[in-house]
Amino acid sequence: MTANDKYAVFGNPIKHSKSPQIHSAFAAQTGQQLSYRAHKVDVDKFADAAKSFFDNGGKGLNITVPFKIDAYNFADELSGRARLAGAVNTLALQDDGTVYGDNTDGAGLVRDICENLAWEVTGKRVLLLGAGGAIRGVLEPLMKLNPSQVLIANRTVEKAQQLARDFSEFGSVGACSFEALNANQYDLIINGTSASLAGELPPLPSDALTDEGCCYDMMYSAGPTPFMRWGAENAAWAVSDGLGMLVEQAAESFCIWRGTRPTTREVIDAIREELEASQ
């Protein structure tokens, strides 16, 4: 490892990315010397861009939309959690020249919920909103915490049902449409849809939360997301956005690359302050 070790995040769009700020903070905190930049990659040029990056001395990549499946296909070797997620958000150059692909999203979510927020998942009833890549990437680590119930709700119920079948080996997981959400209450509701990005809210019954129910939005923004506001309006015990997940999944990537785990609290707080100041 040298001061010339190069890392980057690939995405499109990429201007909004907090990854360079996060990893620069991690490097300073742990005494690591490296460079980290954001690169906008043409949607049909991922493989060429990744090959060029590694051929020219790159050590590791973070991957964001829309390239997580491209990264999955690019990797020479995949972690078990990447295989289950069907997507890769971290690429790491190995000593033998091959590229290892991993998915740190689920680990980031679980660490944020269980350690930063100190919410309980074990024995709780969990409702997941959405059946896309965001939910697929976090299902295994969530289910390994042994919630008493996991239900996936999605507009297209067939996608939710397929996801439930794919992860049935990890425990009992059900599926339904948004319209079928009634009469039951949940201790933890996680929004994995992109509705918040459009200022919208998944269709939820107002009584979906238990008295101590929590709401977690995997998206983040300067102010409360529509889903977070829904939680507050419906007496959620606590609400959170996904900023902590973003930083925690980055810390997992940093550990894969550099062999040391940074602390995250001060980085989360610094970005939160910046977001609030931008409002």
Side-chain angles (χ1 to χ4, degrees):
M1 296 182 183
T2 72
N4 294 320
D5 285 352
K6 296 191 301 183
Y7 298 87
V9 57
F10 280 9
N12 188 341
I14 199 63
K15 188 177 181 180
H16 66 286
S17 177
K18 301 292 185 185
S19 293
Q21 177 183 355
I22 293 169
H23 285 281
S24 294
F26 288 163
Q29 177 198 122
T30 59
Q32 304 280 308
Q33 296 188 17
L34 54 85
S35 68
Y36 188 108
R37 296 180 179 177
H39 294 286
K40 182 179 178 181
V41 176
D42 292 341
V43 292
D44 58 345
K45 298 294 184 182
F46 176 84
D48 291 342
K51 184 178 185 304
S52 176
F53 176 81
F54 286 114
D55 285 349
N56 286 281
K59 299 294 185 181
L61 286 172
N62 283 135
I63 312 300
T64 187
V65 292
F67 298 120
K68 291 185 179 183
I69 294 175
D70 296 273
Y72 181 96
N73 294 327
F74 181 85
D76 299 304
E77 180 186 354
L78 295 166
S79 69
R81 57 191 181 184
R83 289 187 185 280
L84 283 166
V88 159
N89 75 343
T90 303
L91 291 171
L93 184 68
Q94 304 298 284
D95 291 340
D96 63 0
T98 61
V99 176
Y100 175 75
D102 203 349
N103 189 308
T104 65
D105 285 335
L109 173 74
V110 165
R111 189 176 289 269
D112 190 37
I113 287 177
C114 296
E115 297 189 20
N116 297 336
L117 300 172
W119 296 356
E120 287 288 338
V121 177
T122 302
K124 302 298 184 180
R125 290 166 288 181
V126 179
L127 172 62
L128 303 174
L129 305 178
I135 293 296
R136 175 175 282 275
V138 303
L139 251 176
E140 179 210 5
L142 266 176
M143 293 186 68
K144 283 186 172 180
L145 295 174
N146 296 314
S148 64
Q149 177 186 358
V150 175
L151 181 67
I152 305 167
N154 193 54
R155 291 187 190 279
T156 307
V157 69
E158 291 80 11
K159 286 187 68 176
Q161 291 168 338
Q162 183 60 56
L163 201 52
R165 286 192 292 270
D166 290 346
F167 285 82
S168 60
E169 66 181 282
F170 299 104
S172 177
V173 53
C176 71
S177 65
F178 286 133
E179 291 74 22
L181 283 173
N182 52 51
N184 293 317
Q185 293 185 313
Y186 300 90
D187 304 299
L188 173 60
I189 304 179
I190 298 175
N191 179 30
T193 74
S194 58
S196 292
L197 296 177
E200 299 172 353
L201 177 72
L204 283 165
S206 60
D207 59 350
L209 282 167
T210 62
D211 290 342
E212 296 185 353
C214 299
C215 292
Y216 189 96
D217 198 329
M218 292 170 69
M219 303 295 118
Y220 72 93
S221 63
T225 67
F227 176 67
M228 292 169 67
R229 290 197 297 269
W230 175 89
E233 290 164 1
N234 288 281
W237 179 73
V239 299
S240 179
D241 69 6
L243 177 60
M245 175 184 172
L246 172 71
V247 177
E248 292 294 349
Q249 64 81 25
E252 186 83 359
S253 295
F254 191 90
C255 187
I256 290 167
W257 294 331
R258 309 298 291 185
T260 185
R261 178 175 292 281
T263 59
T264 55
R265 183 74 267 164
E266 63 189 43
V267 181
I268 295 170
D269 290 345
I271 296 176
R272 179 71 68 198
E273 289 177 10
E274 290 179 8
L275 288 172
E276 291 174 350
S278 71
Q279 286 185 276

